[in-house]
Amino acid sequence: MAMRLSGTAWKLAMAAALVMAVAAGAAARDEPKRPASGSVVETIGKRGVLKVGMSIFVPWAMRNGNGELVGFEIDVARKIARDMGVDVEFVPTPWQGLIPALIAGESDVIIAGMSVRPHRKLVIDFTIPYAHSGMGIAANKAMASDMKWPDDYDSAGMTFSCRRDSTACSDVERLFPRAGVRRFDDDAGALREVLSGNAHAVLSSYPQPVEWAAAHPERIFLPTTENLSQSDEAFGLRKGDPNALHFFSNWIQAYKANGWLAERHRYWFKTRDWVERVDLEQ
């Protein structure tokens, strides 16, 4: 269990942690400030637990053979909790429920590979980006191997699958406006639609399409390995809490500067060292 801090001791510890973190990486743009009363950062300290809203999404967050959560965002959340001197509680939530759950106070922060989008910024605040991803495509071999990329994919007879309320669905509508779209609560459902032959192709962030093609080489292929789009991912926070926004952004800035975020991202997105530990179709 992590050591509990409260009151003045908590505020002083948080201020010291901020200063040391930034000094370890690079100086922050603004001087770190202690969280003001009412900030979720102070609430986390008093409670002794950081509640993280997340959704299962390879390789951001997955379960290993023992049912334990692993993945890039899991590493990130645990590191933040250790730096804050608190425990971490993951709040698994369907993707479309992440923002409502945050607003309702069921989580303190969203760390879920969520892309910064204007419609989301209307209801929550985002930190500076902590990761960057590209959108890829995987297709059913029997249905699409003879189709010309990308022209034939933008047609009335084409059907895509994607995770509901995700950037993938927005990209399908933008890049392939003539095609049909089937939305699912998670990537596993979207993949099953393609494997079963009910959809021609599925869009998802890399490296997911590559992993699907490797896991199902007889049925899945990649029409292209180029990014269909690129996005910035950031932590999501409730509006009206500038001190929390400042704290988490400073944390990201520090660990970008010292290379920790890049190293963790490389491990989960650029290697396959972890693949045997998880079920890629979860």
Side-chain angles (χ1 to χ4, degrees):
M1 297 293 288
M3 180 178 65
R4 299 286 188 268
L5 299 176
S6 60
T8 301
W10 161 253
K11 294 181 180 179
L12 292 174
M14 285 307 304
L18 273 173
V19 172
M20 287 189 295
V22 175
R29 185 172 298 175
D30 300 310
E31 189 69 20
K33 301 176 183 178
R34 287 180 291 180
S37 178
S39 171
V40 72
V41 179
E42 188 171 67
T43 300
I44 293 165
K46 290 179 177 179
R47 185 200 301 136
V49 176
L50 169 66
K51 294 184 178 182
V52 177
M54 45 73 63
S55 188
I56 298 297
F57 186 31
V58 179
W60 301 85
M62 308 158 282
R63 293 195 183 275
N64 63 17
N66 297 322
E68 302 165 332
L69 286 167
V70 296
F72 175 63
E73 73 190 38
I74 304 302
D75 286 354
V76 170
R78 286 179 174 149
K79 177 64 172 172
I80 293 172
R82 286 196 297 271
D83 287 351
M84 296 178 78
V86 300
D87 294 325
V88 62
E89 176 185 331
F90 292 104
V91 185
T93 308
W95 179 259
Q96 64 271 21
L98 283 169
I99 290 178
L102 174 72
I103 294 172
E106 296 173 18
S107 61
D108 301 318
V109 58
I110 295 172
I111 305 179
M114 182 171 284
S115 301
V116 179
R117 290 290 184 267
H119 70 281
R120 292 171 181 159
K121 294 184 74 172
L122 290 173
V123 290
I124 63 172
D125 285 333
F126 283 100
T127 62
I128 64 172
Y130 73 109
H132 309 275
S133 67
M135 191 64 60
I137 181 173
N140 182 295
K141 274 189 174 181
M143 299 172 68
S145 60
D146 293 333
M147 297 176 66
K148 181 181 178 182
W149 173 263
D151 297 342
D152 291 349
Y153 285 75
D154 185 21
S155 63
M158 185 73 180
T159 301
F160 285 89
S161 62
C162 56
R163 184 176 55 163
R164 194 186 319 276
D165 296 331
S166 69
T167 303
C169 289
S170 300
D171 282 346
V172 169
E173 294 173 340
R174 178 176 60 85
L175 297 170
F176 309 102
R178 297 182 181 86
V181 186
R182 294 180 180 171
R183 297 169 173 81
F184 296 83
D185 289 340
D186 52 36
D187 269 21
L191 172 62
R192 284 193 295 269
E193 195 73 353
V194 174
L195 289 172
S196 65
N198 292 323
H200 293 78
V202 54
L203 260 63
S204 185
S205 296
Y206 281 114
Q208 188 79 281
V210 177
E211 298 300 339
W212 287 336
H216 305 281
E218 305 86 2
R219 291 186 285 172
I220 296 290
F221 78 105
L222 305 179
T224 179
T225 57
E226 295 182 1
N227 286 346
L228 304 187
S229 65
Q230 295 189 14
S231 60
D232 298 327
E233 287 75 40
F235 300 174
L237 294 163
R238 286 187 289 276
K239 283 190 171 294
D241 193 347
N243 289 286
L245 194 62
H246 189 85
F247 170 76
F248 285 108
S249 288
N250 270 5
W251 187 94
I252 293 169
Q253 184 173 338
Y255 284 97
K256 273 186 172 180
N258 68 18
W260 186 88
L261 279 169
E263 185 278 326
R264 288 289 80 198
H265 193 274
R266 185 198 66 80
Y267 174 81
W268 290 106
F269 287 83
K270 300 298 182 181
T271 79
R272 293 178 57 85
D273 296 346
W274 51 269
V275 170
E276 293 184 358
R277 298 162 52 194
V278 303
D279 176 6
L280 295 177
E281 295 182 31
Q282 57 190 285

